[in-house]
Amino acid sequence: MTVYKVEICGVNTAKLPLLKNEEKEALFQKVLEGDKAAREEYIKGNLRLVLSVIKRFSSSDENVDDLFQIGCIGLIKAIDNFDISQGVKFSTYAVPMIVGEIRRYLRDNSSIRVSRSLRDIAYKAIYARDMLTKKNQKEPTIEEIAAEVGMAKEEIVYAMDAIQSPVSLYEPVYSEGGDTLCVMDQISDKKNKEDTWIEELSLSQAMKKLNDREKRIIQMRFYEGKTQMEVADEISISQAQVSRLEKSALRNLKNQLGS
C-alpha cells in the first residue's frame, strides 16, 4: 500500500489547510454552536492527522483510499465527542480514535477466523474502552476495562489479542517533539533479550554516575519490569520524556562499561 500519493479519495493532500491552534480553537467554538460550515472547515483542517495515522498501516494490503475514508470516520467521531473542558489537545484525543477506527476495520475484514465468543468479549471490551476514553479523556487500563465489562482482565487480554493483526515491534504509535514511541516501548522489558546485559553486569559504579531521575527510570524499567507508560505515570512526565531519558541513561551506562 502506498500512502504517499497526492490525491486520496479526490482530496489533494498537498493542498490541505494547515490551521494554527488559535484558528482551530475559534473554529471549534463555532462547531459547538452548530455552525455546519465551521464543522466542515474543522474537519478539513485536521485531515493531516488522518494522513499521519494511515502511514502507520503502510504494510497493510488495504487500499489507501479505503483507509483514508475509515480514518475520516474516526476523525468525525472524535470531533463529535471531544470535550474542550478537559484541557486536552484535540490531536491527543483524535489520533487514538482514528487508529481505533482503522484497526476495527482491518480486524473486521481479516481473513483470520476467531470464535464468536471471543469476538463478543473483544467487542464489549472495545466499547467499554471507547466509552471510558470519552468519559475520562484518556486511555483506560486493562483493569478499568475489565471492571467495566465485569470479566477477568486475563479474558479481556486474550480476546483482544485474538482479534488483533500482527504488528511489528518497531511500528510507531506516537511521536512527540521528534521522540518516536514504538510498539516495543509499550512492552514490559523483564525478558528483553537485547538489554539483559544490564542484569548480568555489575552496574553499581556506573549507576552512581547517573542522575537520580535516570537511576529511577532504569530501576523501574529493567529491574521492576515496568512499561514506559507506567514509569511516566509514576514520575509524572510524558512517555516520550521517559523514552528519551532511558535511551540517554543506557547510552551513558554502555559508554562507562566499555560496551
Side-chain angles (χ1 to χ4, degrees):
M1 178 189 78
T2 176
V3 294
Y4 300 104
K5 60 191 234 181
V6 174
E7 188 168 297
I8 302 177
C9 295
V11 176
N12 187 336
T13 59
K15 295 183 178 181
L16 286 175
L18 185 60
L19 302 178
K20 297 180 180 178
N21 288 332
E22 300 78 23
E23 294 175 308
K24 288 183 179 180
E25 290 174 5
L27 267 178
F28 199 79
Q29 285 295 338
K30 293 181 179 180
V31 172
L32 293 176
E33 295 167 3
D35 188 325
K36 293 183 178 180
R39 187 172 187 270
E40 187 70 22
E41 190 176 349
Y42 195 80
I43 291 171
K44 290 180 180 178
N46 284 282
L47 286 179
R48 291 177 183 272
L49 287 178
V50 178
L51 288 177
S52 68
V53 169
I54 64 176
K55 287 180 181 180
R56 303 179 186 181
F57 298 89
S58 59
S59 60
S60 168
D61 293 329
E62 292 294 328
N63 184 281
V64 65
D65 295 83
D66 292 338
L67 293 185
F68 184 75
Q69 290 183 60
I70 300 301
C72 287
I73 292 174
L75 172 63
I76 292 170
K77 285 184 178 180
I79 292 172
D80 291 341
N81 292 287
F82 185 56
D83 183 356
I84 59 174
S85 68
Q86 297 295 322
V88 177
K89 286 179 63 177
F90 176 73
S91 58
T92 302
Y93 177 72
V95 168
M97 294 280 282
I98 297 169
V99 171
E101 199 68 32
I102 292 175
R103 282 182 171 162
R104 276 191 288 275
Y105 169 78
L106 294 175
R107 179 194 66 228
D108 291 342
N109 287 275
S110 173
S111 59
I112 300 174
R113 304 301 299 174
V114 179
S115 73
R116 178 63 182 272
S117 61
L118 277 180
R119 281 187 179 275
D120 286 345
I121 294 172
Y123 291 154
K124 288 178 182 177
I126 291 168
Y127 177 79
R129 181 191 64 194
D130 291 347
M131 184 271 292
L132 290 170
T133 299
K134 177 182 175 182
K135 178 182 177 181
N136 302 320
Q137 294 287 299
K138 66 176 183 178
E139 190 82 7
T141 64
I142 287 296
E143 288 79 6
E144 290 171 332
I145 294 173
E148 183 67 29
V149 176
M151 302 184 74
K153 66 178 182 179
E154 290 79 12
E155 292 182 83
I156 299 295
V157 171
Y158 183 69
M160 295 290 281
D161 284 346
I163 63 172
Q164 293 298 323
S165 299
V167 296
S168 167
L169 286 175
Y170 295 93
E171 178 187 344
V173 294
Y174 181 69
S175 181
E176 178 185 294
D179 294 307
T180 300
L181 302 178
C182 301
V183 172
M184 67 183 298
D185 293 325
Q186 308 281 324
I187 302 171
S188 173
D189 278 338
K190 263 187 176 177
K191 297 181 180 179
N192 190 328
K193 293 182 180 179
E194 294 181 356
D195 295 307
T196 52
W197 59 273
I198 293 181
E199 298 178 357
E200 297 170 358
L201 297 174
S202 173
L203 297 176
S204 58
Q205 293 302 314
M207 288 284 284
K208 289 179 181 178
K209 296 183 180 180
L210 300 179
N211 61 46
D212 291 342
R213 177 173 280 183
E214 289 176 334
K215 289 177 187 176
R216 192 175 178 192
I217 289 173
I218 293 299
Q219 176 68 33
M220 288 190 287
R221 285 284 284 148
F222 298 99
Y223 288 92
E224 298 174 19
K226 294 184 177 180
T227 66
Q228 287 188 348
M229 183 60 76
E230 290 170 334
V231 175
D233 288 341
E234 190 162 328
I235 63 177
S236 301
I237 62 175
S238 72
Q239 187 180 354
Q241 287 177 291
V242 172
S243 176
R244 182 168 61 249
L245 289 168
E246 177 186 313
K247 289 172 183 175
S248 174
L250 289 176
R251 185 166 55 249
N252 290 338
L253 288 173
K254 286 181 180 179
N255 290 337
Q256 292 171 41
L257 292 166
S259 299

